[in-house]
Amino acid sequence: MEDSSQNICLLSVCDATPNSFGSFEEFLVTLSEKLKQDGWMHVIIFRERPIEEVEKSLLNQNAQIRIMKPSKLGIINFVQLYQIIKEIQPNYVHFHFYPIFSVVNYLSFLFNIKIIYTDHMGSRKPKSTFKKIMRKPYYFTYSKLYSCGIEKVVCVSEFVKLKYFKEYGINPKKMCVIHNGINTIRFQKKSDIKEIREKYNLKEKIIVTCIGLRFDKGPHCLIKAAPLILQKIPNIKFVLVGGGDFRDYLEKLIEDQKIKDHVLITGIVTDVTDIYNISSCVVVPSVCEEAFCFIVAEAMAMEIPVVAFDSGAIKEVVHNESQIVPKNYTLLADRVVEVLSEEDDIFRKKEMRNHIIENFPLEKCVNEYFQLYKNISQNKK
């Protein structure tokens, strides 16, 4: 493959529909900016059309956007991608959120392309003994059938790399770790919070925030912990951010716990930095195994104390493991009370932010991806 910048094209295939401008969307925009500066072409595939803010930001960086809703049948995905690849002739095809082992990897035999994967997703433990027993032979079989054509599997944490090796049987030489990154300029503390509090009609002194109204993000665990927290610190508003079908269950649970007056469900917000900015503590009670956890990194960059369940790669992100508790809502309540009772420590908060700036800035993440593409084209390990 020639290393002529003017001829290089990256096709990013994302099994996602951006309905907010989150850290993954910002990663795509920043990557597109980097590729534009170096004369590369960037084509991005989404499941559905992204929101206007994301679309405009990508188009401003000369990225092209295509829509392709993946099928459960791999052969249909193969045909759809075959047509797109034949048309645009990319040098690299980078799959985000796609299963690593599938028939689409055979496209590498039909075109002069390099295939890369980044999963980004955490994992759930098998719900039954049968599924647990079958998981390894399942992935072993699929790895033998479909591992061909893969140049690199990017792991967003050491936790993911170990998981891929143990459960998927991926050769460690095929993997590399590139931690996710966040925009540390966007995620920084603002001094004026009066307008934000007025916007959400928040009069309570203490705000405990949970972001992501999905079962795997564990907001129900915080709701179960809330009465225990309120016994010790009554002047609290619990702010739940996000939308989805799980909201109905949460609203019933809030009623059952008799804490309705202490809970605000915002729905999807356009600027999550506002919520971080008024938070006294951000709780991340994930019941899945987090592959990275943007929420932890974002909150710490804004100098907000975090209390999180011991889930996947969160230990790799936090500044201090005292921020982590076992997956138990009683222990969660105890730790939140401890954090809220501590004296304000400006030095420690600055340490949290500096930890994120040093280890997980967006620029570092994007530069590492760009270097990976160049190394692959030059057959470097």
Side-chain angles (χ1 to χ4, degrees):
M1 181 184 301
E2 290 184 19
D3 191 20
S4 173
S5 297
Q6 298 300 324
N7 298 324
I8 298 179
C9 174
L10 168 67
L11 173 63
S12 295
V13 187
C14 308
D15 187 9
T17 302
N19 54 22
S20 64
F21 203 115
S23 286
F24 175 71
E25 289 75 21
E26 197 152 22
F27 159 74
L28 290 176
V29 173
T30 308
L31 178 61
S32 298
E33 181 181 14
K34 174 67 176 175
L35 298 175
K36 175 185 174 183
Q37 290 171 354
D38 282 73
W40 290 33
M41 176 181 174
H42 193 196
V43 181
I44 306 170
I45 295 177
F46 293 122
R47 289 179 64 91
E48 296 174 11
R49 186 175 176 181
I51 60 171
E52 184 178 1
E53 184 183 6
V54 173
E55 184 174 27
K56 282 186 175 180
S57 297
L58 289 169
L59 295 178
N60 285 340
Q61 301 303 332
N62 290 350
Q64 298 180 25
I65 298 174
R66 301 289 186 94
I67 305 301
M68 188 195 97
K69 192 169 185 178
S71 168
K72 292 182 179 180
L73 298 175
I75 191 63
I76 294 178
N77 297 329
F78 181 94
V79 172
Q80 292 184 94
L81 287 168
Y82 174 89
Q83 294 170 341
I84 294 172
I85 292 171
K86 184 179 180 181
E87 176 191 347
I88 67 174
Q89 299 183 12
N91 302 76
Y92 308 91
V93 179
H94 194 152
F95 291 94
H96 296 269
F97 305 104
Y98 268 74
I100 294 168
F101 297 131
S102 77
V103 69
V104 300
N105 293 332
Y106 281 92
L107 288 165
S108 63
F109 293 108
L110 302 179
F111 301 98
N112 183 25
I113 58 173
K114 305 293 187 181
I115 293 179
I116 305 113
Y117 280 90
T118 304
D119 188 351
H120 301 280
M121 301 293 285
S123 63
R124 295 180 182 177
K125 293 182 179 179
K127 293 183 178 180
S128 67
T129 303
F130 175 76
K131 287 185 177 180
K132 186 175 182 179
I133 293 171
M134 291 304 297
R135 174 175 275 189
K136 283 191 176 181
Y138 171 84
Y139 284 120
F140 177 80
T141 302
Y142 267 62
S143 69
K144 295 302 179 184
L145 291 173
Y146 302 122
S147 63
C148 57
I150 301 174
E151 291 291 329
K152 216 67 171 175
V153 176
V154 179
C155 307
V156 296
S157 62
E158 294 290 346
F159 166 80
V160 170
K161 185 177 180 180
L162 183 61
K163 180 189 79 169
Y164 283 172
F165 173 67
K166 285 187 172 180
E167 297 183 13
Y168 293 10
I170 298 175
N171 186 336
K173 292 181 179 179
K174 286 276 186 181
M175 295 188 283
C176 68
V177 175
I178 299 179
H179 287 106
N180 287 325
I182 66 165
N183 184 342
T184 55
I185 296 176
R186 178 184 170 207
F187 290 99
Q188 62 179 317
K189 191 77 173 173
K190 304 169 188 173
S191 57
D192 186 9
I193 63 172
K194 182 179 178 182
E195 288 186 8
I196 303 172
R197 281 182 166 274
E198 290 176 351
K199 177 181 178 181
Y200 292 100
N201 193 28
L202 293 169
K203 299 176 182 178
E204 289 79 3
K205 182 180 178 182
I206 299 172
I207 307 298
V208 175
T209 300
C210 183
I211 297 176
L213 300 196
R214 306 196 317 251
F215 173 83
D216 59 335
K217 293 299 180 184
H220 54 292
C221 299
L222 177 59
I223 296 306
K224 290 178 181 179
L228 301 175
I229 299 171
L230 288 165
Q231 286 176 13
K232 302 287 182 65
I233 308 176
N235 188 25
I236 292 179
K237 195 78 165 186
F238 297 93
V239 176
L240 308 183
V241 180
D245 297 337
F246 198 52
R247 177 169 178 162
D248 293 339
Y249 171 82
L250 290 174
E251 288 177 339
K252 184 178 185 306
L253 183 61
I254 290 165
E255 290 278 2
D256 293 343
Q257 297 283 345
K258 298 180 173 57
I259 57 170
K260 188 175 180 180
D261 292 341
H262 293 277
V263 179
L264 169 66
I265 301 179
T266 66
I268 297 173
V269 300
T270 55
D271 187 0
V272 73
T273 63
D274 281 350
I275 301 297
Y276 286 130
N277 210 50
I278 58 174
S279 299
S280 309
C281 174
V282 171
V283 176
V284 187
S286 298
V287 295
C288 69
E289 298 302 317
E290 292 280 0
F292 175 78
C293 196
F294 279 119
I295 295 169
V296 169
E298 291 167 356
M300 290 174 62
M302 294 195 66
E303 304 176 29
I304 308 302
V306 172
V307 177
F309 275 165
D310 187 358
S311 302
I314 287 181
K315 280 182 179 177
E316 294 178 46
V317 184
V318 296
H319 175 247
N320 191 317
E321 288 196 14
S322 66
Q323 298 169 255
I324 295 176
V325 297
K327 294 176 183 177
N328 177 292
Y329 73 85
T330 303
L331 297 176
L332 179 70
D334 291 342
R335 185 62 188 128
V336 170
V337 169
E338 289 175 6
V339 168
L340 296 178
S341 301
E342 292 172 352
E343 291 185 11
D344 191 33
D345 189 335
I346 296 175
F347 178 75
R348 188 182 63 182
K349 290 180 177 180
K350 292 296 182 184
E351 273 191 333
M352 287 193 302
R353 175 167 171 79
N354 289 337
H355 171 73
I356 300 301
I357 291 174
E358 181 179 347
N359 294 284
F360 309 113
L362 182 56
E363 297 81 7
K364 178 183 177 184
C365 172
V366 168
N367 287 336
E368 288 181 0
Y369 271 103
F370 186 66
Q371 190 60 50
L372 172 67
Y373 300 140
K374 294 177 71 175
N375 288 345
I376 288 174
S377 70
Q378 297 164 9
N379 294 318
K380 293 182 180 179
K381 298 299 183 183

